[in-house]
Every structure is written in C-alpha cells, then in structure tokens.
Amino acid sequence: MIDPPEVVRNARARRARLSVDSATGRVRLVLPPRASLKTALAWAAGKADWIAEQRARLPQALPFEPGSAFPFGDGTLTIVWEETASRRIVRDGDILRCGGPRDGLSRRIALWLHREALRVLSEETAEFAARAGVSVTKVAVGDPKTRWGSCASSGTIRYSWRLILMPAFVRRSTVAHEVAHRLHMNHGPHFHRAVALLDESDPARSHAWLRANGAVLHWVGRGSGTGD
C-alpha cells in the first residue's frame, strides 16, 4: 500500500475494518479503541490487492480541459477554449466558452462553477425560505466530501458547489431539505412533513439519484490542477 490509511478509532467497532472512500479514493482503517495499531497496520498492508481492486472501481477523473464535457444541471457543458479570446468565461447554451492562457484554465472554470452554484443556490434558498416562512442568514458553498448541504442553528446554510452539476430536481430537493431544517433542527416526523410540503418531487427519488450518481460528481474537475 503506497499511502498510509486514515486511522479512526470507533467505540462501537468490534474489529478492524478497511474502506475506500468513493469520493476521494482515500483508504480508511477503523479500529476498536484498544486495538493494536501496529497489528492493524500490518493487516491493512496485506490488503493491498483488495485496495487496488476497490480503487479500480472508482469513477474516472473528469478534468476541466479543452474539448471535455461535464454534467451541468439537466444537461452537459462542453469546454471550448481559444487562447486569443477573452479570459471571461461565458456560457453559450451547452457550450462553455473560455479564453486566455491555457495555464490556469481549469482553475478559472472551477471558480466560475463556484460562483454559478452560489448564485443559483442563493436564489433557490430564498425562494424556499419564503415558501416556508423562515429566514436564512447566509448561503455559502464549499466542497465537502460527506454531505451535500448543512444548516446551522445560526441560520447559515452551506452547500456543496457540486449541486450545480446535478439535475434541477435533485438540487432543489436538497435546498428544500436544508430550508426545512430552519423549521426543525432534526430528522424527526415534523421535519419530514415539512420536507414533503416544500419538495416539488418525491424526496426518495432524489435520494436514489444521489446514491447512484453522487460519487461520480466528486471526480468532476479532478486531475486538472483545481486543487482536488
């Protein structure tokens, strides 16, 4: 094994367990609190073939490069780059027109996607908040690997920018979910009733889409110098 695994102690673990994160490819080694670290690391080293097999099944990285296409909302965007064109990135239907130096192109596209995600998610959050009769103090975007959105008791809602890559019904379902937390900061029956009233589609359909496709989206923009 080339990279050492991330070691996590878990009070509920009864034995050592290895897993490969579908979003990052990182290896995690979960251990009971008193398990021998040396013994567990030696055991994990013997699982190199299994780890390689799991990593081979991961989605392929989809870098932001001229001519490449990536999912965006209900369709796809194809990157068209001309060095002599303006550095300003412009969406033209299903084309993303880019100019300027080739160096740093992927970073500029990633920044454009972050800004677009923040714009759309801010608008949709305000829409759902008005519908629910609640306030949201701030909307922010980032790139978490374990969740698509979160709502703090302060009224701040944070989203993964990768929501902009998803079909609209999935993105809007996620917004409805987080806004519903402004009514109930839990996942109890009242919360789920609020989600059912806010969500325009069946939440189960969105969850199924995320289970089937979410891991792939974490690899969009990878391998292209975007910092992932």
Side-chain angles (χ1 to χ4, degrees), residues 70 72-73 77 88-91 93 96 108-124 139 141 159-165 171:
F70 58 89
F72 185 84
L77 286 180
R88 181 170 175 262
I89 295 176
V90 177
R91 181 188 175 189
L96 198 62
R108 296 198 300 277
I109 292 173
L111 289 173
W112 182 88
L113 286 167
H114 277 71
R115 289 194 295 268
E116 187 68 8
L118 181 59
R119 181 186 68 80
V120 171
L121 290 165
S122 295
E123 291 176 357
E124 293 180 344
V139 175
V141 297
Y159 298 104
S160 167
W161 72 264
R162 296 177 189 274
L163 284 167
I164 200 66
L165 307 176
R171 184 187 68 244

PDB file of all heavy atoms in Angstrom, residues 70 72-73 77 88-91 93 96 108-124 139 141 159-165 171:
ATOM      1  N   PHE A  70     -18.811  17.942 -19.197  1.00  0.00           N
ATOM      2  CA  PHE A  70     -19.137  17.516 -17.837  1.00  0.00           C
ATOM      3  C   PHE A  70     -20.608  17.803 -17.567  1.00  0.00           C
ATOM      4  O   PHE A  70     -21.219  18.666 -18.201  1.00  0.00           O
ATOM      5  CB  PHE A  70     -18.237  18.231 -16.815  1.00  0.00           C
ATOM      6  CG  PHE A  70     -18.312  19.724 -16.845  1.00  0.00           C
ATOM      7  CD1 PHE A  70     -19.240  20.416 -16.081  1.00  0.00           C
ATOM      8  CD2 PHE A  70     -17.449  20.462 -17.642  1.00  0.00           C
ATOM      9  CE1 PHE A  70     -19.310  21.800 -16.107  1.00  0.00           C
ATOM     10  CE2 PHE A  70     -17.503  21.847 -17.678  1.00  0.00           C
ATOM     11  CZ  PHE A  70     -18.440  22.520 -16.911  1.00  0.00           C
ATOM     12  N   PHE A  72     -23.994  19.227 -16.098  1.00  0.00           N
ATOM     13  CA  PHE A  72     -24.354  20.550 -15.588  1.00  0.00           C
ATOM     14  C   PHE A  72     -25.876  20.643 -15.614  1.00  0.00           C
ATOM     15  O   PHE A  72     -26.480  20.685 -16.693  1.00  0.00           O
ATOM     16  CB  PHE A  72     -23.732  21.650 -16.445  1.00  0.00           C
ATOM     17  CG  PHE A  72     -23.963  23.048 -15.927  1.00  0.00           C
ATOM     18  CD1 PHE A  72     -23.136  23.589 -14.956  1.00  0.00           C
ATOM     19  CD2 PHE A  72     -25.022  23.808 -16.396  1.00  0.00           C
ATOM     20  CE1 PHE A  72     -23.348  24.878 -14.470  1.00  0.00           C
ATOM     21  CE2 PHE A  72     -25.246  25.091 -15.921  1.00  0.00           C
ATOM     22  CZ  PHE A  72     -24.410  25.628 -14.949  1.00  0.00           C
ATOM     23  N   GLY A  73     -26.491  20.663 -14.436  1.00  0.00           N
ATOM     24  CA  GLY A  73     -27.945  20.716 -14.370  1.00  0.00           C
ATOM     25  C   GLY A  73     -28.578  19.544 -15.090  1.00  0.00           C
ATOM     26  O   GLY A  73     -28.196  18.384 -14.874  1.00  0.00           O
ATOM     27  N   LEU A  77     -22.138  20.499 -20.268  1.00  0.00           N
ATOM     28  CA  LEU A  77     -21.417  21.636 -20.841  1.00  0.00           C
ATOM     29  C   LEU A  77     -20.124  21.127 -21.469  1.00  0.00           C
ATOM     30  O   LEU A  77     -19.414  20.314 -20.861  1.00  0.00           O
ATOM     31  CB  LEU A  77     -21.085  22.673 -19.766  1.00  0.00           C
ATOM     32  CG  LEU A  77     -22.224  23.551 -19.242  1.00  0.00           C
ATOM     33  CD1 LEU A  77     -21.699  24.508 -18.180  1.00  0.00           C
ATOM     34  CD2 LEU A  77     -22.882  24.323 -20.371  1.00  0.00           C
ATOM     35  N   ARG A  88     -12.683  35.970 -19.827  1.00  0.00           N
ATOM     36  CA  ARG A  88     -14.009  35.846 -19.213  1.00  0.00           C
ATOM     37  C   ARG A  88     -14.708  34.591 -19.724  1.00  0.00           C
ATOM     38  O   ARG A  88     -14.794  34.352 -20.919  1.00  0.00           O
ATOM     39  CB  ARG A  88     -14.855  37.079 -19.535  1.00  0.00           C
ATOM     40  CG  ARG A  88     -16.247  37.061 -18.915  1.00  0.00           C
ATOM     41  CD  ARG A  88     -16.895  38.421 -19.081  1.00  0.00           C
ATOM     42  NE  ARG A  88     -18.275  38.406 -18.601  1.00  0.00           N
ATOM     43  CZ  ARG A  88     -19.339  38.260 -19.382  1.00  0.00           C
ATOM     44  NH1 ARG A  88     -19.167  38.134 -20.699  1.00  0.00           N
ATOM     45  NH2 ARG A  88     -20.554  38.255 -18.891  1.00  0.00           N
ATOM     46  N   ILE A  89     -15.194  33.774 -18.784  1.00  0.00           N
ATOM     47  CA  ILE A  89     -15.879  32.536 -19.140  1.00  0.00           C
ATOM     48  C   ILE A  89     -17.347  32.834 -19.368  1.00  0.00           C
ATOM     49  O   ILE A  89     -18.000  33.484 -18.545  1.00  0.00           O
ATOM     50  CB  ILE A  89     -15.690  31.479 -18.035  1.00  0.00           C
ATOM     51  CG1 ILE A  89     -14.209  31.098 -17.944  1.00  0.00           C
ATOM     52  CG2 ILE A  89     -16.559  30.253 -18.292  1.00  0.00           C
ATOM     53  CD1 ILE A  89     -13.888  30.144 -16.828  1.00  0.00           C
ATOM     54  N   VAL A  90     -17.862  32.364 -20.489  1.00  0.00           N
ATOM     55  CA  VAL A  90     -19.235  32.646 -20.875  1.00  0.00           C
ATOM     56  C   VAL A  90     -19.935  31.351 -21.242  1.00  0.00           C
ATOM     57  O   VAL A  90     -19.410  30.559 -22.043  1.00  0.00           O
ATOM     58  CB  VAL A  90     -19.304  33.622 -22.065  1.00  0.00           C
ATOM     59  CG1 VAL A  90     -20.749  33.849 -22.489  1.00  0.00           C
ATOM     60  CG2 VAL A  90     -18.625  34.940 -21.713  1.00  0.00           C
ATOM     61  N   ARG A  91     -21.123  31.153 -20.682  1.00  0.00           N
ATOM     62  CA  ARG A  91     -21.924  30.002 -21.088  1.00  0.00           C
ATOM     63  C   ARG A  91     -22.766  30.386 -22.299  1.00  0.00           C
ATOM     64  O   ARG A  91     -23.465  31.399 -22.291  1.00  0.00           O
ATOM     65  CB  ARG A  91     -22.825  29.551 -19.941  1.00  0.00           C
ATOM     66  CG  ARG A  91     -23.664  28.334 -20.314  1.00  0.00           C
ATOM     67  CD  ARG A  91     -24.688  27.990 -19.262  1.00  0.00           C
ATOM     68  NE  ARG A  91     -25.535  26.890 -19.720  1.00  0.00           N
ATOM     69  CZ  ARG A  91     -26.630  26.480 -19.081  1.00  0.00           C
ATOM     70  NH1 ARG A  91     -27.010  27.084 -17.958  1.00  0.00           N
ATOM     71  NH2 ARG A  91     -27.342  25.479 -19.572  1.00  0.00           N
ATOM     72  N   GLY A  93     -25.425  28.376 -24.233  1.00  0.00           N
ATOM     73  CA  GLY A  93     -26.190  27.135 -24.349  1.00  0.00           C
ATOM     74  C   GLY A  93     -25.473  26.001 -23.653  1.00  0.00           C
ATOM     75  O   GLY A  93     -25.209  26.064 -22.449  1.00  0.00           O
ATOM     76  N   LEU A  96     -19.325  26.054 -22.956  1.00  0.00           N
ATOM     77  CA  LEU A  96     -18.671  26.951 -22.010  1.00  0.00           C
ATOM     78  C   LEU A  96     -17.462  27.536 -22.728  1.00  0.00           C
ATOM     79  O   LEU A  96     -16.461  26.844 -22.956  1.00  0.00           O
ATOM     80  CB  LEU A  96     -18.244  26.190 -20.752  1.00  0.00           C
ATOM     81  CG  LEU A  96     -17.948  27.051 -19.518  1.00  0.00           C
ATOM     82  CD1 LEU A  96     -19.205  27.801 -19.081  1.00  0.00           C
ATOM     83  CD2 LEU A  96     -17.418  26.192 -18.383  1.00  0.00           C
ATOM     84  N   ARG A 108      -9.902  28.542 -13.441  1.00  0.00           N
ATOM     85  CA  ARG A 108     -10.881  29.564 -13.784  1.00  0.00           C
ATOM     86  C   ARG A 108     -12.268  28.950 -13.990  1.00  0.00           C
ATOM     87  O   ARG A 108     -13.280  29.533 -13.594  1.00  0.00           O
ATOM     88  CB  ARG A 108     -10.434  30.322 -15.045  1.00  0.00           C
ATOM     89  CG  ARG A 108      -9.141  31.093 -14.857  1.00  0.00           C
ATOM     90  CD  ARG A 108      -8.945  32.168 -15.917  1.00  0.00           C
ATOM     91  NE  ARG A 108      -8.890  31.662 -17.277  1.00  0.00           N
ATOM     92  CZ  ARG A 108      -7.787  31.164 -17.850  1.00  0.00           C
ATOM     93  NH1 ARG A 108      -6.659  31.070 -17.156  1.00  0.00           N
ATOM     94  NH2 ARG A 108      -7.810  30.762 -19.113  1.00  0.00           N
ATOM     95  N   ILE A 109     -12.304  27.769 -14.580  1.00  0.00           N
ATOM     96  CA  ILE A 109     -13.589  27.098 -14.767  1.00  0.00           C
ATOM     97  C   ILE A 109     -14.172  26.692 -13.413  1.00  0.00           C
ATOM     98  O   ILE A 109     -15.376  26.851 -13.173  1.00  0.00           O
ATOM     99  CB  ILE A 109     -13.424  25.866 -15.676  1.00  0.00           C
ATOM    100  CG1 ILE A 109     -13.071  26.320 -17.097  1.00  0.00           C
ATOM    101  CG2 ILE A 109     -14.691  25.008 -15.684  1.00  0.00           C
ATOM    102  CD1 ILE A 109     -12.715  25.182 -18.038  1.00  0.00           C
ATOM    103  N   ALA A 110     -13.333  26.194 -12.528  1.00  0.00           N
ATOM    104  CA  ALA A 110     -13.815  25.812 -11.200  1.00  0.00           C
ATOM    105  C   ALA A 110     -14.378  27.017 -10.454  1.00  0.00           C
ATOM    106  O   ALA A 110     -15.426  26.926  -9.802  1.00  0.00           O
ATOM    107  CB  ALA A 110     -12.680  25.171 -10.401  1.00  0.00           C
ATOM    108  N   LEU A 111     -13.709  28.168 -10.560  1.00  0.00           N
ATOM    109  CA  LEU A 111     -14.196  29.377  -9.909  1.00  0.00           C
ATOM    110  C   LEU A 111     -15.525  29.828 -10.515  1.00  0.00           C
ATOM    111  O   LEU A 111     -16.436  30.275  -9.789  1.00  0.00           O
ATOM    112  CB  LEU A 111     -13.158  30.492 -10.022  1.00  0.00           C
ATOM    113  CG  LEU A 111     -11.889  30.319  -9.176  1.00  0.00           C
ATOM    114  CD1 LEU A 111     -10.872  31.404  -9.521  1.00  0.00           C
ATOM    115  CD2 LEU A 111     -12.218  30.352  -7.695  1.00  0.00           C
ATOM    116  N   TRP A 112     -15.661  29.706 -11.829  1.00  0.00           N
ATOM    117  CA  TRP A 112     -16.924  30.061 -12.484  1.00  0.00           C
ATOM    118  C   TRP A 112     -18.053  29.175 -11.964  1.00  0.00           C
ATOM    119  O   TRP A 112     -19.151  29.661 -11.685  1.00  0.00           O
ATOM    120  CB  TRP A 112     -16.776  29.913 -13.999  1.00  0.00           C
ATOM    121  CG  TRP A 112     -18.017  30.299 -14.753  1.00  0.00           C
ATOM    122  CD1 TRP A 112     -18.360  31.548 -15.194  1.00  0.00           C
ATOM    123  CD2 TRP A 112     -19.094  29.429 -15.144  1.00  0.00           C
ATOM    124  NE1 TRP A 112     -19.581  31.519 -15.822  1.00  0.00           N
ATOM    125  CE2 TRP A 112     -20.056  30.230 -15.816  1.00  0.00           C
ATOM    126  CE3 TRP A 112     -19.339  28.068 -14.996  1.00  0.00           C
ATOM    127  CZ2 TRP A 112     -21.238  29.700 -16.328  1.00  0.00           C
ATOM    128  CZ3 TRP A 112     -20.521  27.529 -15.505  1.00  0.00           C
ATOM    129  CH2 TRP A 112     -21.449  28.343 -16.167  1.00  0.00           C
ATOM    130  N   LEU A 113     -17.784  27.883 -11.818  1.00  0.00           N
ATOM    131  CA  LEU A 113     -18.801  26.949 -11.323  1.00  0.00           C
ATOM    132  C   LEU A 113     -19.171  27.256  -9.868  1.00  0.00           C
ATOM    133  O   LEU A 113     -20.341  27.173  -9.497  1.00  0.00           O
ATOM    134  CB  LEU A 113     -18.302  25.514 -11.456  1.00  0.00           C
ATOM    135  CG  LEU A 113     -18.289  24.960 -12.883  1.00  0.00           C
ATOM    136  CD1 LEU A 113     -17.478  23.668 -12.950  1.00  0.00           C
ATOM    137  CD2 LEU A 113     -19.715  24.720 -13.367  1.00  0.00           C
ATOM    138  N   HIS A 114     -18.187  27.617  -9.060  1.00  0.00           N
ATOM    139  CA  HIS A 114     -18.472  28.007  -7.681  1.00  0.00           C
ATOM    140  C   HIS A 114     -19.399  29.217  -7.649  1.00  0.00           C
ATOM    141  O   HIS A 114     -20.365  29.252  -6.876  1.00  0.00           O
ATOM    142  CB  HIS A 114     -17.170  28.326  -6.931  1.00  0.00           C
ATOM    143  CG  HIS A 114     -16.462  27.137  -6.382  1.00  0.00           C
ATOM    144  ND1 HIS A 114     -15.809  26.219  -7.178  1.00  0.00           N
ATOM    145  CD2 HIS A 114     -16.312  26.693  -5.100  1.00  0.00           C
ATOM    146  CE1 HIS A 114     -15.277  25.276  -6.419  1.00  0.00           C
ATOM    147  NE2 HIS A 114     -15.567  25.540  -5.156  1.00  0.00           N
ATOM    148  N   ARG A 115     -19.090  30.223  -8.459  1.00  0.00           N
ATOM    149  CA  ARG A 115     -19.914  31.432  -8.476  1.00  0.00           C
ATOM    150  C   ARG A 115     -21.324  31.134  -8.989  1.00  0.00           C
ATOM    151  O   ARG A 115     -22.307  31.664  -8.462  1.00  0.00           O
ATOM    152  CB  ARG A 115     -19.240  32.514  -9.339  1.00  0.00           C
ATOM    153  CG  ARG A 115     -17.995  33.116  -8.716  1.00  0.00           C
ATOM    154  CD  ARG A 115     -17.589  34.398  -9.442  1.00  0.00           C
ATOM    155  NE  ARG A 115     -17.192  34.126 -10.816  1.00  0.00           N
ATOM    156  CZ  ARG A 115     -15.939  33.879 -11.202  1.00  0.00           C
ATOM    157  NH1 ARG A 115     -14.962  33.873 -10.302  1.00  0.00           N
ATOM    158  NH2 ARG A 115     -15.658  33.663 -12.473  1.00  0.00           N
ATOM    159  N   GLU A 116     -21.401  30.315 -10.018  1.00  0.00           N
ATOM    160  CA  GLU A 116     -22.712  29.956 -10.567  1.00  0.00           C
ATOM    161  C   GLU A 116     -23.528  29.168  -9.539  1.00  0.00           C
ATOM    162  O   GLU A 116     -24.734  29.390  -9.382  1.00  0.00           O
ATOM    163  CB  GLU A 116     -22.536  29.141 -11.843  1.00  0.00           C
ATOM    164  CG  GLU A 116     -23.809  28.848 -12.595  1.00  0.00           C
ATOM    165  CD  GLU A 116     -24.451  30.080 -13.204  1.00  0.00           C
ATOM    166  OE1 GLU A 116     -23.836  31.171 -13.183  1.00  0.00           O
ATOM    167  OE2 GLU A 116     -25.593  29.960 -13.706  1.00  0.00           O
ATOM    168  N   ALA A 117     -22.870  28.266  -8.839  1.00  0.00           N
ATOM    169  CA  ALA A 117     -23.557  27.495  -7.804  1.00  0.00           C
ATOM    170  C   ALA A 117     -24.072  28.411  -6.698  1.00  0.00           C
ATOM    171  O   ALA A 117     -25.218  28.276  -6.248  1.00  0.00           O
ATOM    172  CB  ALA A 117     -22.615  26.438  -7.228  1.00  0.00           C
ATOM    173  N   LEU A 118     -23.244  29.357  -6.273  1.00  0.00           N
ATOM    174  CA  LEU A 118     -23.663  30.266  -5.216  1.00  0.00           C
ATOM    175  C   LEU A 118     -24.841  31.122  -5.670  1.00  0.00           C
ATOM    176  O   LEU A 118     -25.791  31.343  -4.906  1.00  0.00           O
ATOM    177  CB  LEU A 118     -22.491  31.153  -4.792  1.00  0.00           C
ATOM    178  CG  LEU A 118     -22.780  32.148  -3.664  1.00  0.00           C
ATOM    179  CD1 LEU A 118     -23.234  31.429  -2.401  1.00  0.00           C
ATOM    180  CD2 LEU A 118     -21.547  33.005  -3.377  1.00  0.00           C
ATOM    181  N   ARG A 119     -24.800  31.572  -6.901  1.00  0.00           N
ATOM    182  CA  ARG A 119     -25.900  32.403  -7.428  1.00  0.00           C
ATOM    183  C   ARG A 119     -27.216  31.625  -7.450  1.00  0.00           C
ATOM    184  O   ARG A 119     -28.232  32.077  -6.922  1.00  0.00           O
ATOM    185  CB  ARG A 119     -25.558  32.889  -8.834  1.00  0.00           C
ATOM    186  CG  ARG A 119     -26.637  33.778  -9.454  1.00  0.00           C
ATOM    187  CD  ARG A 119     -26.324  34.109 -10.896  1.00  0.00           C
ATOM    188  NE  ARG A 119     -26.404  32.959 -11.786  1.00  0.00           N
ATOM    189  CZ  ARG A 119     -27.549  32.469 -12.265  1.00  0.00           C
ATOM    190  NH1 ARG A 119     -28.722  33.019 -11.932  1.00  0.00           N
ATOM    191  NH2 ARG A 119     -27.537  31.425 -13.081  1.00  0.00           N
ATOM    192  N   VAL A 120     -27.186  30.442  -8.051  1.00  0.00           N
ATOM    193  CA  VAL A 120     -28.406  29.646  -8.197  1.00  0.00           C
ATOM    194  C   VAL A 120     -28.924  29.178  -6.837  1.00  0.00           C
ATOM    195  O   VAL A 120     -30.122  29.277  -6.543  1.00  0.00           O
ATOM    196  CB  VAL A 120     -28.151  28.442  -9.124  1.00  0.00           C
ATOM    197  CG1 VAL A 120     -29.343  27.485  -9.123  1.00  0.00           C
ATOM    198  CG2 VAL A 120     -27.854  28.925 -10.543  1.00  0.00           C
ATOM    199  N   LEU A 121     -28.031  28.688  -5.999  1.00  0.00           N
ATOM    200  CA  LEU A 121     -28.454  28.166  -4.703  1.00  0.00           C
ATOM    201  C   LEU A 121     -28.958  29.281  -3.782  1.00  0.00           C
ATOM    202  O   LEU A 121     -29.861  29.059  -2.978  1.00  0.00           O
ATOM    203  CB  LEU A 121     -27.309  27.399  -4.047  1.00  0.00           C
ATOM    204  CG  LEU A 121     -26.977  26.062  -4.737  1.00  0.00           C
ATOM    205  CD1 LEU A 121     -25.630  25.534  -4.276  1.00  0.00           C
ATOM    206  CD2 LEU A 121     -28.070  25.030  -4.471  1.00  0.00           C
ATOM    207  N   SER A 122     -28.385  30.473  -3.897  1.00  0.00           N
ATOM    208  CA  SER A 122     -28.883  31.607  -3.111  1.00  0.00           C
ATOM    209  C   SER A 122     -30.302  31.957  -3.528  1.00  0.00           C
ATOM    210  O   SER A 122     -31.178  32.184  -2.679  1.00  0.00           O
ATOM    211  CB  SER A 122     -27.963  32.816  -3.285  1.00  0.00           C
ATOM    212  OG  SER A 122     -26.682  32.571  -2.759  1.00  0.00           O
ATOM    213  N   GLU A 123     -30.539  31.991  -4.838  1.00  0.00           N
ATOM    214  CA  GLU A 123     -31.880  32.302  -5.337  1.00  0.00           C
ATOM    215  C   GLU A 123     -32.891  31.246  -4.905  1.00  0.00           C
ATOM    216  O   GLU A 123     -34.000  31.576  -4.457  1.00  0.00           O
ATOM    217  CB  GLU A 123     -31.851  32.405  -6.865  1.00  0.00           C
ATOM    218  CG  GLU A 123     -31.089  33.618  -7.388  1.00  0.00           C
ATOM    219  CD  GLU A 123     -30.995  33.620  -8.899  1.00  0.00           C
ATOM    220  OE1 GLU A 123     -31.469  32.642  -9.536  1.00  0.00           O
ATOM    221  OE2 GLU A 123     -30.443  34.596  -9.466  1.00  0.00           O
ATOM    222  N   GLU A 124     -32.530  29.989  -5.034  1.00  0.00           N
ATOM    223  CA  GLU A 124     -33.468  28.920  -4.702  1.00  0.00           C
ATOM    224  C   GLU A 124     -33.689  28.810  -3.196  1.00  0.00           C
ATOM    225  O   GLU A 124     -34.797  28.496  -2.740  1.00  0.00           O
ATOM    226  CB  GLU A 124     -32.972  27.605  -5.288  1.00  0.00           C
ATOM    227  CG  GLU A 124     -33.014  27.615  -6.808  1.00  0.00           C
ATOM    228  CD  GLU A 124     -32.544  26.334  -7.455  1.00  0.00           C
ATOM    229  OE1 GLU A 124     -31.888  25.519  -6.757  1.00  0.00           O
ATOM    230  OE2 GLU A 124     -32.808  26.139  -8.644  1.00  0.00           O
ATOM    231  N   VAL A 139     -25.932  32.115   2.832  1.00  0.00           N
ATOM    232  CA  VAL A 139     -25.770  30.942   1.978  1.00  0.00           C
ATOM    233  C   VAL A 139     -24.318  30.893   1.529  1.00  0.00           C
ATOM    234  O   VAL A 139     -23.762  31.911   1.098  1.00  0.00           O
ATOM    235  CB  VAL A 139     -26.712  30.987   0.758  1.00  0.00           C
ATOM    236  CG1 VAL A 139     -26.437  29.814  -0.176  1.00  0.00           C
ATOM    237  CG2 VAL A 139     -28.173  30.970   1.200  1.00  0.00           C
ATOM    238  N   VAL A 141     -21.072  28.175  -0.301  1.00  0.00           N
ATOM    239  CA  VAL A 141     -20.773  26.925  -0.992  1.00  0.00           C
ATOM    240  C   VAL A 141     -19.338  26.510  -0.684  1.00  0.00           C
ATOM    241  O   VAL A 141     -18.461  27.345  -0.453  1.00  0.00           O
ATOM    242  CB  VAL A 141     -20.969  27.040  -2.520  1.00  0.00           C
ATOM    243  CG1 VAL A 141     -22.414  27.327  -2.860  1.00  0.00           C
ATOM    244  CG2 VAL A 141     -20.046  28.092  -3.124  1.00  0.00           C
ATOM    245  N   TYR A 159     -23.769  24.618   1.137  1.00  0.00           N
ATOM    246  CA  TYR A 159     -23.999  23.589   0.132  1.00  0.00           C
ATOM    247  C   TYR A 159     -22.681  23.177  -0.513  1.00  0.00           C
ATOM    248  O   TYR A 159     -21.714  23.939  -0.534  1.00  0.00           O
ATOM    249  CB  TYR A 159     -24.911  24.108  -0.985  1.00  0.00           C
ATOM    250  CG  TYR A 159     -26.294  24.523  -0.563  1.00  0.00           C
ATOM    251  CD1 TYR A 159     -26.618  25.873  -0.442  1.00  0.00           C
ATOM    252  CD2 TYR A 159     -27.280  23.574  -0.316  1.00  0.00           C
ATOM    253  CE1 TYR A 159     -27.899  26.274  -0.088  1.00  0.00           C
ATOM    254  CE2 TYR A 159     -28.568  23.964   0.041  1.00  0.00           C
ATOM    255  CZ  TYR A 159     -28.868  25.308   0.158  1.00  0.00           C
ATOM    256  OH  TYR A 159     -30.136  25.701   0.509  1.00  0.00           O
ATOM    257  N   SER A 160     -22.688  21.990  -1.090  1.00  0.00           N
ATOM    258  CA  SER A 160     -21.609  21.606  -1.999  1.00  0.00           C
ATOM    259  C   SER A 160     -21.830  22.326  -3.323  1.00  0.00           C
ATOM    260  O   SER A 160     -22.947  22.325  -3.857  1.00  0.00           O
ATOM    261  CB  SER A 160     -21.623  20.095  -2.234  1.00  0.00           C
ATOM    262  OG  SER A 160     -20.795  19.750  -3.329  1.00  0.00           O
ATOM    263  N   TRP A 161     -20.777  22.911  -3.864  1.00  0.00           N
ATOM    264  CA  TRP A 161     -20.920  23.579  -5.159  1.00  0.00           C
ATOM    265  C   TRP A 161     -21.308  22.576  -6.238  1.00  0.00           C
ATOM    266  O   TRP A 161     -21.885  22.952  -7.275  1.00  0.00           O
ATOM    267  CB  TRP A 161     -19.640  24.308  -5.551  1.00  0.00           C
ATOM    268  CG  TRP A 161     -18.490  23.417  -5.950  1.00  0.00           C
ATOM    269  CD1 TRP A 161     -17.467  22.987  -5.158  1.00  0.00           C
ATOM    270  CD2 TRP A 161     -18.244  22.857  -7.254  1.00  0.00           C
ATOM    271  NE1 TRP A 161     -16.603  22.182  -5.869  1.00  0.00           N
ATOM    272  CE2 TRP A 161     -17.061  22.089  -7.156  1.00  0.00           C
ATOM    273  CE3 TRP A 161     -18.904  22.915  -8.469  1.00  0.00           C
ATOM    274  CZ2 TRP A 161     -16.520  21.386  -8.239  1.00  0.00           C
ATOM    275  CZ3 TRP A 161     -18.386  22.214  -9.562  1.00  0.00           C
ATOM    276  CH2 TRP A 161     -17.207  21.463  -9.442  1.00  0.00           C
ATOM    277  N   ARG A 162     -21.059  21.294  -5.997  1.00  0.00           N
ATOM    278  CA  ARG A 162     -21.328  20.270  -6.997  1.00  0.00           C
ATOM    279  C   ARG A 162     -22.823  20.040  -7.218  1.00  0.00           C
ATOM    280  O   ARG A 162     -23.203  19.332  -8.163  1.00  0.00           O
ATOM    281  CB  ARG A 162     -20.613  18.969  -6.612  1.00  0.00           C
ATOM    282  CG  ARG A 162     -19.097  19.131  -6.613  1.00  0.00           C
ATOM    283  CD  ARG A 162     -18.352  17.877  -6.169  1.00  0.00           C
ATOM    284  NE  ARG A 162     -16.940  18.175  -5.986  1.00  0.00           N
ATOM    285  CZ  ARG A 162     -16.029  18.138  -6.970  1.00  0.00           C
ATOM    286  NH1 ARG A 162     -16.402  17.779  -8.189  1.00  0.00           N
ATOM    287  NH2 ARG A 162     -14.770  18.438  -6.737  1.00  0.00           N
ATOM    288  N   LEU A 163     -23.643  20.658  -6.396  1.00  0.00           N
ATOM    289  CA  LEU A 163     -25.081  20.592  -6.647  1.00  0.00           C
ATOM    290  C   LEU A 163     -25.435  21.192  -8.009  1.00  0.00           C
ATOM    291  O   LEU A 163     -26.431  20.803  -8.628  1.00  0.00           O
ATOM    292  CB  LEU A 163     -25.850  21.325  -5.543  1.00  0.00           C
ATOM    293  CG  LEU A 163     -25.970  20.602  -4.201  1.00  0.00           C
ATOM    294  CD1 LEU A 163     -26.469  21.562  -3.133  1.00  0.00           C
ATOM    295  CD2 LEU A 163     -26.903  19.409  -4.313  1.00  0.00           C
ATOM    296  N   ILE A 164     -24.622  22.140  -8.489  1.00  0.00           N
ATOM    297  CA  ILE A 164     -24.908  22.778  -9.774  1.00  0.00           C
ATOM    298  C   ILE A 164     -24.713  21.784 -10.925  1.00  0.00           C
ATOM    299  O   ILE A 164     -25.195  22.008 -12.045  1.00  0.00           O
ATOM    300  CB  ILE A 164     -24.013  24.026  -9.979  1.00  0.00           C
ATOM    301  CG1 ILE A 164     -24.607  24.970 -11.035  1.00  0.00           C
ATOM    302  CG2 ILE A 164     -22.590  23.641 -10.342  1.00  0.00           C
ATOM    303  CD1 ILE A 164     -25.903  25.598 -10.637  1.00  0.00           C
ATOM    304  N   LEU A 165     -24.023  20.689 -10.668  1.00  0.00           N
ATOM    305  CA  LEU A 165     -23.809  19.664 -11.682  1.00  0.00           C
ATOM    306  C   LEU A 165     -24.986  18.704 -11.791  1.00  0.00           C
ATOM    307  O   LEU A 165     -25.058  17.922 -12.744  1.00  0.00           O
ATOM    308  CB  LEU A 165     -22.536  18.861 -11.362  1.00  0.00           C
ATOM    309  CG  LEU A 165     -21.241  19.653 -11.135  1.00  0.00           C
ATOM    310  CD1 LEU A 165     -20.121  18.701 -10.738  1.00  0.00           C
ATOM    311  CD2 LEU A 165     -20.866  20.448 -12.380  1.00  0.00           C
ATOM    312  N   ARG A 171     -31.126  19.024  -7.124  1.00  0.00           N
ATOM    313  CA  ARG A 171     -30.602  20.236  -6.465  1.00  0.00           C
ATOM    314  C   ARG A 171     -31.683  20.908  -5.631  1.00  0.00           C
ATOM    315  O   ARG A 171     -31.463  21.243  -4.459  1.00  0.00           O
ATOM    316  CB  ARG A 171     -30.081  21.204  -7.528  1.00  0.00           C
ATOM    317  CG  ARG A 171     -29.428  22.458  -6.962  1.00  0.00           C
ATOM    318  CD  ARG A 171     -29.086  23.456  -8.059  1.00  0.00           C
ATOM    319  NE  ARG A 171     -30.278  24.036  -8.685  1.00  0.00           N
ATOM    320  CZ  ARG A 171     -30.605  23.854  -9.961  1.00  0.00           C
ATOM    321  NH1 ARG A 171     -29.850  23.119 -10.762  1.00  0.00           N
ATOM    322  NH2 ARG A 171     -31.708  24.430 -10.442  1.00  0.00           N
TER     323      ARG A 171
END
